[in-house]
Amino acid sequence: DAEITQSPRHKITETGRQVTLACHQTWNHNNMFWYRQDLGHGLRLIHYSYGVQDTNKGEVSDGYSVSRSNTEDLPLTLESAASSQTSVYFCASSESHPGQAAFNEQFFGPGTRLTVL
Amino acid sequence: AQKVTQAQTEISVVEKEDVTLDCVYETRDTTYYLFWYKQPPSGELVFLIRRNSFDEQNEISGRYSWNFQKSTSSFNFTITASQVVDSAVYFCALSDPLEYGNKLVFGAGTILRVKS
């Protein structure tokens, strides 16, 4: 069965360290997204990609970067982790069809809980 | 700018009660899509429903029903005869159709606690 996985599921790191969160999907979806979930804010979009070599900034992109070298993976990198980046991170993917751009639901990974000390 | 408001931060009900979760959205687009997701205590996000702006028919799926009203920009979610397993965080989300692919704008979520 197709799925979307994230690793690690839990991560504790120190302020200033570089951290990479992995996201891998076997749906063969073109669209991939990274969100962070914080109490009182719901999920907020960090970065997104509509295909290989395409990346775009979301609402809360400062301090984060992504790269898309293949269809399956969209790793999220925190260049220099800060305590404000302690959060739960969700990766998602969706199909894309011309003319039905916003129609397709996003499938979410299980989440990564990141703690920055 | 798009915005989704879920004014109810937390709701507690007793099993078998009906409960309605409110969602109010803002968008300048005439074509848009609305979603509800459920996040149970295990943490994953589960898709519940998708509705496009041209379809105002209410939808019912078992104990779940959704009331979409463009006149009030609302997309409310009702659980009939609630059960303990309905305890979760529920998110309403809005999608912008003007871009290729889709981005979701989420509300802050409503925590639903169903007590036995």
Side-chain angles (χ1 to χ4, degrees), chain B residues 5-90:
Chain B
T5 302
Q6 294 180 255
Q8 303 150 308
T9 302
E10 185 170 338
I11 303 174
S12 289
V13 298
V14 177
E15 214 170 12
K16 298 184 182 177
E17 283 186 26
D18 298 347
V19 57
T20 295
L21 310 181
D22 297 333
C23 174
V24 175
Y25 61 91
E26 296 176 30
T27 180
R28 293 176 297 178
D29 299 326
T30 56
T31 303
Y32 50 88
Y33 298 86
L34 295 161
F35 300 78
W36 276 93
Y37 283 84
K38 174 183 179 180
Q39 186 178 41
S42 52
E44 75 273 21
L45 281 150
V46 179
F47 165 78
L48 294 179
I49 190 171
R50 170 188 55 235
R51 173 67 68 206
N52 74 60
S53 55
F54 296 108
D55 183 1
E56 289 194 70
Q57 280 193 336
N58 292 332
E59 180 150 344
I60 298 174
S61 176
R63 296 183 297 106
Y64 295 172
S65 62
W66 290 269
N67 184 330
F68 176 36
Q69 292 193 345
K70 288 179 73 172
S71 60
T72 57
S73 297
S74 64
F75 186 43
N76 296 336
F77 173 33
T78 297
I79 301 174
T80 302
S82 61
Q83 299 176 2
V84 172
V85 293
D86 295 326
S87 297
V89 183
Y90 291 87

Side-chain angles (χ1 to χ4, degrees), chain A residues 27-38:
Chain A
W27 293 97
N28 200 35
H29 288 161
N30 282 329
N31 303 332
M32 294 186 73
F33 309 84
W34 274 104
Y35 296 89
R36 59 177 289 174
Q37 182 180 10
D38 304 289

